[in-house]
Amino acid sequence: SLDNAFSEDEVQAWHERVVKGLQSQEPTYTVELKIDGVSLALTYNKGQLVQAATRGDGDTGEEVTANAKTIRAIPLRLTGDAPHRVEVRGEVYMPTEAFTRYNTQALREGKETFANPRNAAAGSLRQKDPQVTAARPLRFFTHSFGRLAGMAFDTQWEFLQGCKRLGLPVNEHAVRGTSFKAVLQQCRRLERLRAQLPFEADGVVIKVNELAFQERLGMTHKSPRWAIAYKFPAQQATTTVLKVLHSVGRTGTVTPVAQLEPVVCGGVTISSATLHNYDEVARLGVKVGDRVLIQRAGEVIPQVIKVLQSHRRGRERAIKPPTRCPVCGGTVA
């Protein structure tokens, strides 16, 4: 996994650590969108796809070869002068428009829906029946490698161009930054582009371009020193609380979930948001009918973060914890 930065100052501090680690040598960088999907490693022997595996816990993944072979973006055979053996890594994702279409159709047919495109990609990739995976609108981008035999590059950028020649898809928005100033400019450009992207992206990954410098910088116990994920700010939108449902979890805990006037936030239509618990309802002071600010920040269900008090008209209704379980009718403790 990568270390995260949440501001340009934190990215600047990382850059300074990189330069210090290289004894004041200035590297170049690549800037690549951080697609919000599920990691996948592909192994090719003599150009033929022989294994696909998820990252799992970082040490042991899950083999999903049969499912990966159904994703059209993943070549079953590499083109051109294929190396003897190569393991490339990338991200399986579901485009946002395809995600919305899938959920709409699933609702019509009474099938399972997904909370967000990332969950949809993960659930689709791990299906027991490859035909189910084949019916899901999944895509794939390559971003790094694990092992190369019969293939050599000096930079990350050369690797990405080599992937294109082999028929492996690479995100078109990846760029080189010849200076750290240029890196920050590219981060700002990609953040402005975020709402127009056909997929979920929650940030950018900045990598030292020179592979020799990457080797010199090495790793900490959990992440490479030569790369960092710069996370975009959480996406927010305003909407109205239409009603509150009292959801019962597997452990019997009752959780309030706000049903919202549908609103587009980050390219996805949001119609519900978690209120977490009734203490949080009291802390926010939220009522049915309130105009609220919601936020998507990696939550499975978006969350209400603020009540817009200036929009109150006096007709809002308090949210009260249920005294009876909405499932079994028993007394709620």
Side-chain angles (χ1 to χ4, degrees), residues 31-78:
V31 182
E32 304 167 45
L33 280 167
K34 187 177 182 296
I35 298 169
D36 200 14
V38 57
S39 296
L40 186 69
L42 304 174
T43 301
Y44 290 86
N45 276 347
K46 298 179 181 178
Q48 187 78 28
L49 178 62
V50 296
Q51 186 181 68
T54 64
R55 186 172 66 178
D57 61 6
D59 292 319
T60 304
E62 179 180 351
E63 183 167 342
V64 290
T65 308
N67 292 354
K69 285 182 175 181
T70 71
I71 300 173
R72 293 184 180 180
I74 295 177
L76 301 180
R77 176 172 287 278
L78 300 178

Side-chain angles (χ1 to χ4, degrees), residues 281-332:
V281 169
R283 186 189 71 80
L284 289 168
V286 62
K287 298 180 179 181
V288 173
D290 268 336
R291 194 76 178 161
V292 294
L293 182 68
I294 64 168
Q295 174 173 291
R296 296 183 65 228
E299 296 284 338
V300 174
I301 300 175
Q303 58 183 325
V304 174
I305 62 170
K306 183 180 180 181
V307 174
L308 304 180
Q309 299 281 353
S310 61
H311 287 256
R312 280 200 165 156
R313 297 294 180 265
R315 295 187 294 271
E316 296 77 17
R317 304 186 307 280
I319 300 168
K320 298 179 181 179
T323 57
R324 294 286 177 180
C325 174
V327 174
C328 70
T331 302
V332 175

Side-chain angles (χ1 to χ4, degrees), residues 6 41 69 89 95 104 140 151 158 204 286:
F6 297 93
K69 285 182 175 181
R89 297 169 183 176
T104 301
F140 176 80
M151 194 179 188
E158 288 176 8
V204 296
V286 62

Side-chain angles (χ1 to χ4, degrees), residues 245-300:
L245 300 180
H246 306 284
S247 175
V248 181
R250 286 177 296 179
T251 62
T253 301
V254 181
T255 301
V257 178
Q259 299 299 292
L260 308 171
E261 182 179 344
V263 62
V264 175
C265 183
V268 177
T269 300
I270 304 300
S271 58
S272 65
T274 182
L275 292 169
H276 297 293
N277 53 56
Y278 296 97
D279 288 340
E280 180 70 359
V281 169
R283 186 189 71 80
L284 289 168
V286 62
K287 298 180 179 181
V288 173
D290 268 336
R291 194 76 178 161
V292 294
L293 182 68
I294 64 168
Q295 174 173 291
R296 296 183 65 228
E299 296 284 338
V300 174

Side-chain angles (χ1 to χ4, degrees), residues 20-332:
K20 183 178 179 180
L22 295 175
Q23 298 177 329
S24 297
Q25 288 183 275
E26 289 275 352
T28 59
Y29 295 98
T30 60
V31 182
E32 304 167 45
L33 280 167
K34 187 177 182 296
I35 298 169
D36 200 14
V38 57
S39 296
L40 186 69
L42 304 174
T43 301
Y44 290 86
N45 276 347
K46 298 179 181 178
Q48 187 78 28
L49 178 62
V50 296
Q51 186 181 68
T54 64
R55 186 172 66 178
D57 61 6
D59 292 319
T60 304
E62 179 180 351
E63 183 167 342
V64 290
T65 308
N67 292 354
K69 285 182 175 181
T70 71
I71 300 173
R72 293 184 180 180
I74 295 177
L76 301 180
R77 176 172 287 278
L78 300 178
T79 59
D81 188 15
H84 176 70
R85 183 176 176 86
V86 59
E87 179 204 321
V88 297
R89 297 169 183 176
E91 204 80 3
V92 173
Y93 68 98
M94 187 178 288
T96 49
E97 186 176 336
F99 165 76
T100 301
R101 285 199 309 269
Y102 175 84
N103 264 359
T104 301
Q105 185 66 26
L107 278 173
R108 288 198 196 106
E109 298 175 357
K111 296 180 179 178
E112 175 190 20
T113 59
F114 292 100
N116 54 49
R118 181 181 185 179
N119 283 13
S124 300
L125 185 62
R126 298 179 64 191
Q127 290 290 322
K128 293 181 179 179
D129 183 355
Q131 291 185 355
V132 176
T133 303
R136 305 282 174 84
L138 299 179
R139 302 291 185 271
F140 176 80
F141 282 132
T142 312
H143 57 56
S144 57
F145 61 87
R147 181 188 303 178
L148 299 175
M151 194 179 188
F153 302 103
D154 292 326
T155 66
Q156 167 72 7
W157 187 253
E158 288 176 8
F159 164 73
L160 293 176
Q161 305 318 301
C163 285
K164 293 179 184 179
R165 291 191 295 271
L166 293 173
L168 290 161
V170 173
N171 189 267
E172 63 182 356
H173 297 288
V175 292
R176 279 180 294 184
T178 54
S179 67
F180 183 68
K181 180 179 179 181
V183 166
L184 291 181
Q185 290 172 342
Q186 292 298 334
C187 289
R188 295 172 193 140
R189 179 184 69 84
L190 291 171
E191 186 175 342
R192 290 193 299 269
L193 189 65
R194 182 185 190 184
Q196 304 169 37
L197 295 172
F199 47 78
E200 290 278 280
D202 59 358
V204 296
V205 177
I206 306 166
K207 302 174 185 174
V208 169
N209 189 30
E210 294 81 7
L211 300 188
F213 284 172
Q214 290 185 12
E215 187 173 350
R216 281 173 58 184
L217 290 165
M219 304 273 296
T220 67
H221 70 284
K222 65 184 181 76
S223 59
R225 294 188 178 92
W226 45 265
I228 196 164
Y230 171 49
K231 305 297 284 289
F232 293 147
Q235 300 179 90
Q236 298 180 338
T238 57
T239 184
T240 301
V241 178
L242 301 178
K243 62 180 179 179
V244 171
L245 300 180
H246 306 284
S247 175
V248 181
R250 286 177 296 179
T251 62
T253 301
V254 181
T255 301
V257 178
Q259 299 299 292
L260 308 171
E261 182 179 344
V263 62
V264 175
C265 183
V268 177
T269 300
I270 304 300
S271 58
S272 65
T274 182
L275 292 169
H276 297 293
N277 53 56
Y278 296 97
D279 288 340
E280 180 70 359
V281 169
R283 186 189 71 80
L284 289 168
V286 62
K287 298 180 179 181
V288 173
D290 268 336
R291 194 76 178 161
V292 294
L293 182 68
I294 64 168
Q295 174 173 291
R296 296 183 65 228
E299 296 284 338
V300 174
I301 300 175
Q303 58 183 325
V304 174
I305 62 170
K306 183 180 180 181
V307 174
L308 304 180
Q309 299 281 353
S310 61
H311 287 256
R312 280 200 165 156
R313 297 294 180 265
R315 295 187 294 271
E316 296 77 17
R317 304 186 307 280
I319 300 168
K320 298 179 181 179
T323 57
R324 294 286 177 180
C325 174
V327 174
C328 70
T331 302
V332 175

